[in-house]
Amino acid sequence: MFQQRRPGRRQPGMTYDELIEAVRYDGLYPTRERAEEVTRTVLAALGRQLTGEERVALAAALPRRAARVLAAEIPGPERLTGWGFVKDIAAHTPESTPATARWDAGSVLGIIGRAAGPELLRRILGQLPEGYALLFGQAELARRPQPA
């Protein structure tokens, strides 16, 4: 079940199969295929939003197959809010509703956030517009206005 790891190479914290099984378990998906489909859709949507060092660091923290899905997407010119992100997922998933897309996003991003670790997740959330923290299973803290 676990992949053989090569000595001397940095390995991600989990294998691709472990990632998919974690999403399947957390998201209560009936099959591995459904969990994999959801994972690929959410990672692709995240790839359209995330840029810079955080994008590279997250790809390095993910299993190789998952990192390729994230990196294959070109970041869009517009940064979507968390709600816009959910609507983007719904638009790319046949027969999806905003409610199911929200569930899918939270199921995958909760696992991705744990794989990233607290410091990288903090940096990722700092780059993204409001509304993503809850999707990653974190509290959405109000941002203080900068003094003039």
Side-chain angles (χ1 to χ4, degrees), residues 114-128:
R114 290 195 297 267
E119 175 57 27
L120 177 55
L121 180 56
R122 184 191 60 73
R123 290 176 26 219
I124 289 169
L125 291 174
Q127 181 189 115
L128 296 169

Side-chain angles (χ1 to χ4, degrees), residues 29-94:
Y29 296 107
T31 64
R32 182 188 194 291
E33 291 75 22
R34 179 67 181 133
E36 187 168 14
E37 175 186 325
V38 166
T39 301
R40 294 178 66 80
T41 300
V42 173
L43 282 173
L46 186 59
R48 291 189 291 274
Q49 295 302 306
L50 204 54
T51 61
E53 291 179 24
E54 289 75 20
R55 178 184 174 100
V56 173
L58 180 58
L62 295 174
R64 187 170 287 135
R65 284 173 62 188
R68 280 188 285 220
V69 174
L70 177 82
E73 295 295 321
I74 298 170
E78 179 185 352
R79 292 287 159 252
L80 300 175
T81 64
W83 177 240
F85 179 77
V86 168
K87 291 193 300 188
D88 182 50
I89 291 170
H92 286 85
T93 307

Side-chain angles (χ1 to χ4, degrees), residues 12-17 19 58-68 112 115:
M14 68 173 67
T15 67
Y16 184 75
D17 289 336
L19 170 68
L58 180 58
L62 295 174
R64 187 170 287 135
R65 284 173 62 188
R68 280 188 285 220
I112 298 303

